[in-house]
Amino acid sequence: MNFKDLKIAIPTEIMEGEDRVSATPETVSSMIEEGAEVLVQAGAGEGSFFSDQKYQAAGAEILTDVEKLFAAADLILKVKEPQFNQELDKHEVDLMHAGQYLITFIHPASPGNHQMVKKLAEKGIISLTLDSIPRISKAQAMDTLSSMSTVAGYKGVLMAADILPKFMPMITTGVGMIKPANALVLGTGVAGLQAAATAKRLGAVVHAADIRPEASEQAQSVGSKPLDLEIPEAEAVGEGGYAKELSEKLLEKERGIIAEQIEKFDFLILSALIPGKVAPILITEAMVKKMEPGSVIVDIAIDQGGNCEITEPGKIVKKHGVTIIGTKNIPGMLPKSSTWMFSKNIYKFISHVIEAGKIEIESDDEILSSTLVTDGEKIVHQGALEAMNK
């Protein structure tokens, strides 16, 4: 009975286009078996095709009033970071109270979220971010970032194909052969690897680049051609196999290599991330200007600031003849698959960090210390603090 006497709230996600939900009837049932009382906002699961009746059958209480839902909860589980609720004319943080736990994707290093994170600290919220779960063996089943990255990599290529003004595969016609599209995937972690594999399956000629040798080799294993960024391994690979934050000098070197070849690519998939930090700028406006008119950039890294200098968060824009996709909730576009994965990940996470209905903030547990953003008094997340002080 690990969750004994804990009231867990599952609100409806209010970000535009966000159809995911943080728990399914299956995981709600598991929480209740562990002693929790689960409150679900009416309609929270409709976008992912889970009815209120299914949640009720699992043992949840359905509430229509979101303010009552937030007020009653000890722990709030969300998919996206707190947003401004237009209907209530209030921010979701303003619905919370001191001592509450919040677990969601907060992306605390992203500049657009700094004010919200500061507000969480001021309100006395104990918040944990799912985008900072360390990539270690015991956290594998909790790795929401990898799960959602799989969705983003797959869907990002489909979005590029939809906008691209030419065929992706080679096409033979009665008037001649049309050459396949050329793709460049930057960052071949989970999202980039899935993007490279999907683009290859759709018939594109795929080049891929990652500063980590192992990630680059994995991209080659799914049929992509390597683009060597010439970054020494010692400078590239950090703890847990994640990419390290590079110096400005090495970033300039990396951008220079990409700039030399960028004209030959019809579309770019950008997914280079540094855990808990702002995403590195790999594509400058000057580089976008060099691309052929009609080219497409899908900036999957936008939730952490984006890899392209001129991506507009949450928007699809055309600049210098290039369509730049800054959609912020790509996994939400495949809500059924992404919710199935996310709900299982977050259940595993809370099962790990909660003991006897509480989170022990002073714990030296690596997973807890990596994900803690605000401790009820102040901001403690290292990546957020570094980004705020730049």
Side-chain angles (χ1 to χ4, degrees), residues 12 37 81 126 130 132 156 160-161 167 177 179 182 202 205 212 245 281 283 296 310 320 333 351 353 376:
T12 302
E37 181 182 343
E81 64 267 33
I126 301 157
L130 299 170
S132 292
F167 289 115
M177 184 188 74
K179 292 180 179 180
N182 285 300
L202 290 177
V205 175
R212 299 163 295 168
E245 188 173 25
I281 296 297
I283 305 297
V296 177
I310 56 173
H320 312 299
M333 300 170 78
S351 296
V353 299

Side-chain angles (χ1 to χ4, degrees), residues 134-142:
R135 187 165 289 170
I136 55 178
S137 57
K138 68 177 181 179
Q140 191 172 4
M142 314 169 197

Side-chain angles (χ1 to χ4, degrees), residues 112-125:
N113 290 334
H114 289 176
Q115 202 56 43
M116 177 266 295
V117 171
K118 290 175 182 177
K119 203 169 186 178
L120 286 170
E122 290 167 5
K123 290 280 289 188
I125 309 300

Side-chain angles (χ1 to χ4, degrees), residues 40-42 62-72 88 95:
V40 178
Q41 186 178 350
I62 305 298
L63 295 180
T64 55
D65 189 328
V66 66
E67 293 189 80
K68 287 183 179 179
L69 180 91
F70 272 72
L88 298 177
L95 303 180

Side-chain angles (χ1 to χ4, degrees), residues 346-383:
I346 201 170
Y347 175 73
K348 292 288 186 182
F349 180 74
I350 63 173
S351 296
H352 178 80
V353 299
I354 295 173
E355 190 171 342
K358 293 184 178 180
I359 297 175
E360 183 51 63
I361 298 302
E362 302 303 321
S363 169
D364 59 1
D365 178 79
E366 182 182 359
I367 296 171
L368 181 60
S369 61
S370 296
T371 55
L372 190 65
V373 178
T374 56
D375 66 357
E377 296 179 353
K378 59 186 180 297
I379 300 166
V380 297
H381 189 275
Q382 194 60 37

Side-chain angles (χ1 to χ4, degrees), residues 152-161 183-187 191-192 194-196 199 207 209 267-272 296-301 307:
Y154 168 79
K155 185 65 175 178
V157 173
L158 299 187
M159 293 164 72
L184 174 62
V185 179
L186 291 177
Q194 184 62 235
H207 285 73
F267 68 98
L268 310 182
I269 304 293
L270 309 181
S271 61
V296 177
I297 295 173
V298 184
D299 199 340
I300 293 175
N307 292 146

Side-chain angles (χ1 to χ4, degrees), residues 68-269:
K68 287 183 179 179
L69 180 91
F70 272 72
D74 301 307
L75 167 63
I76 298 165
L77 300 181
K78 281 178 50 59
V79 178
K80 298 300 293 182
E81 64 267 33
Q83 311 281 317
F84 186 81
N85 190 314
Q86 300 286 352
E87 286 186 18
L88 298 177
D89 197 31
K90 290 181 182 178
H91 200 282
E92 285 181 313
V93 176
D94 291 325
L95 303 180
M96 301 179 197
H97 58 77
Q100 272 185 325
Y101 300 114
L102 169 69
I103 297 176
T104 185
F105 277 121
I106 297 175
H107 301 292
S110 180
N113 290 334
H114 289 176
Q115 202 56 43
M116 177 266 295
V117 171
K118 290 175 182 177
K119 203 169 186 178
L120 286 170
E122 290 167 5
K123 290 280 289 188
I125 309 300
I126 301 157
S127 62
L128 294 94
T129 186
L130 299 170
D131 56 283
S132 292
I133 292 174
R135 187 165 289 170
I136 55 178
S137 57
K138 68 177 181 179
Q140 191 172 4
M142 314 169 197
D143 193 353
T144 49
L145 191 60
S146 289
S147 293
M148 298 305 98
S149 293
T150 297
V151 180
Y154 168 79
K155 185 65 175 178
V157 173
L158 299 187
M159 293 164 72
D162 190 46
I163 290 177
L164 204 63
K166 61 183 290 184
F167 289 115
M168 193 166 285
M170 181 177 72
I171 299 290
T172 302
T173 75
V175 292
M177 184 188 74
I178 299 175
K179 292 180 179 180
N182 285 300
L184 174 62
V185 179
L186 291 177
T188 54
V190 176
L193 194 62
Q194 184 62 235
T198 302
K200 184 68 178 176
R201 286 195 295 266
L202 290 177
V205 175
V206 184
H207 285 73
D210 197 293
I211 60 175
R212 299 163 295 168
E214 186 178 347
S216 184
E217 288 171 12
Q218 288 176 337
Q220 291 175 60
S221 74
V222 298
S224 65
K225 299 178 180 181
L227 175 61
D228 187 2
L229 297 175
E230 301 178 11
I231 305 297
E233 186 173 352
E235 300 283 349
V237 184
E239 191 176 343
Y242 286 106
K244 268 186 182 179
E245 188 173 25
L246 298 181
S247 66
E248 188 57 34
K249 183 178 179 181
L250 287 176
L251 272 175
E252 283 292 344
K253 180 181 180 180
E254 189 176 352
R255 287 192 284 258
I257 292 169
I258 297 166
E260 287 176 1
Q261 301 198 44
I262 200 165
E263 293 173 68
K264 72 180 184 183
F265 298 114
D266 298 298
F267 68 98
L268 310 182
I269 304 293

